[in-house]
Amino acid sequence: MAASLLVLLATSCTLTSSETKAPPQVSADADTDTDTDADTDTDADTDTDPLVGSTDGEGFGAAVAFVGADLYIGAPHGEQGRVLRYRSGKLTPVVTGGGRTGSALAGGNDLLIGAPVTNSGSGAVLTVDGSTLLTGGSAGLAVAWADDWLAATATGWQSAAGGETTPARPSALAALSDGVAWTIGVGMLTGDIALAAGSQQFARLSPQDEAGFALAAGDVDGDGLAEWILGAPGAGRVDVLSATDLSIEATLSGTGRFGAALAVGDVDGDGIADLLIGSPAAGESLEGAAALYTSGDLTSPAATFSGTTTGDQLGFAVAVAPGVLALGAPGSAAQPGRVEQHTTW
């Protein structure tokens, strides 16, 4: 199958019960650059100056996604979950709601927002203007784009055109196009099947490896054919699978829950999809780390990034766009969380 590029991953997270008693609120500043309720302003090149949340324990950086040049950041763990937008040096809240609003984000035609335990646990998928695309069935566990929006529920995936039941509870979504039709990939971190992609299935290689916790897609080895990239952070492993037959083309290994977050896109502009991998438990004190593989070379990373503070969990969420990558470091309950952007490596 010819690779058409890519899709988006949805980062999995551990959910606790939370209930919203009001619909998500859209900030008055959602479609402007007015900064009446901004958190931290910083220059667009934040290689040295990360974006920092305003509240300890809100999980700022638990999810990140680009829509064009705009970076969106999820902070889902506060009393009210938030999604913030970074644009032109301003960091502005755009959506606020309960039920872990912002625990999953996907950029594409627009921003998709997962709020998987809102509405007394029934879940919802939202857009950046606060519109609801889907409710019920723990909707919003993961989100992604194909030719339209995709959302994981407790039993499968849904889109505007329909959906499918999966062998186990989904934890991540991605999609690939051959130029004619889209194939939906579903990662499942539990059960015998780690990946379901159309009519094909990839069996779990070892118990408790958590393969399927994260999923992305694209031609990351530069061979002109598409691959599924399957994160197995329980084993510190990332498997690169042929989209044609799900055979293993490459295996990457690391420590600290290597593979817990994945993103694919052409960061360096050479026409080949690059692979960004998060390791949020790396380091003696959960500082976290991430590794960037470029130009089809999966033998060693072109760049690595490390957290600097105890409990940072850098690499908990990752995202890429042309010329820039984002690394979420949501931190602990005693930290505000932060997001690094890197334009050089």
Side-chain angles (χ1 to χ4, degrees), residues 12-234:
S12 170
C13 63
T14 300
L15 304 176
T16 58
S17 60
S18 177
E19 180 174 338
T20 183
K21 298 183 180 179
Q25 301 297 307
V26 179
S27 167
D29 299 324
D31 295 312
T32 73
D33 287 326
T34 306
D35 194 30
T36 58
D37 189 23
D39 286 46
T40 301
D41 293 349
T42 188
D43 185 75
D45 182 356
T46 56
D47 285 311
T48 56
D49 298 316
L51 304 169
V52 180
S54 61
T55 304
D56 289 352
E58 69 172 347
F60 179 91
V64 290
F66 286 101
V67 178
D70 292 341
L71 172 61
Y72 289 89
I73 301 167
H77 299 312
E79 184 174 341
Q80 289 284 293
R82 302 193 299 159
V83 177
L84 303 96
R85 183 188 62 216
Y86 183 70
R87 173 191 288 175
S88 302
K90 302 294 183 181
L91 184 61
T92 307
V94 291
V95 175
T96 301
R100 297 292 185 258
T101 295
S103 60
L105 301 176
N109 300 340
D110 197 354
L111 182 72
L112 298 176
I113 302 168
V117 290
T118 195
N119 300 322
S120 300
S122 65
V125 177
L126 315 168
T127 63
V128 72
D129 65 1
S131 300
T132 300
L133 298 174
L134 182 68
T135 60
S138 299
L141 290 167
V143 289
W145 282 99
D147 54 344
D148 205 338
W149 59 267
L150 303 171
T153 67
T155 58
W157 62 267
Q158 292 288 323
S159 72
E164 293 183 0
T165 300
T166 52
R169 184 184 180 97
S171 49
L173 294 174
L176 280 171
S177 172
D178 61 4
V180 178
W182 286 86
T183 299
I184 310 305
V186 182
M188 295 158 284
L189 68 88
T190 61
D192 293 335
I193 304 302
L195 170 65
S199 61
Q200 301 184 91
Q201 295 182 341
F202 181 78
R204 187 169 310 284
L205 297 181
S206 60
Q208 300 178 341
D209 63 4
E210 297 183 54
F213 187 92
L215 181 67
D219 178 15
V220 295
D221 60 8
D223 66 354
L225 300 173
E227 292 90 35
W228 299 105
I229 299 90
L230 186 69

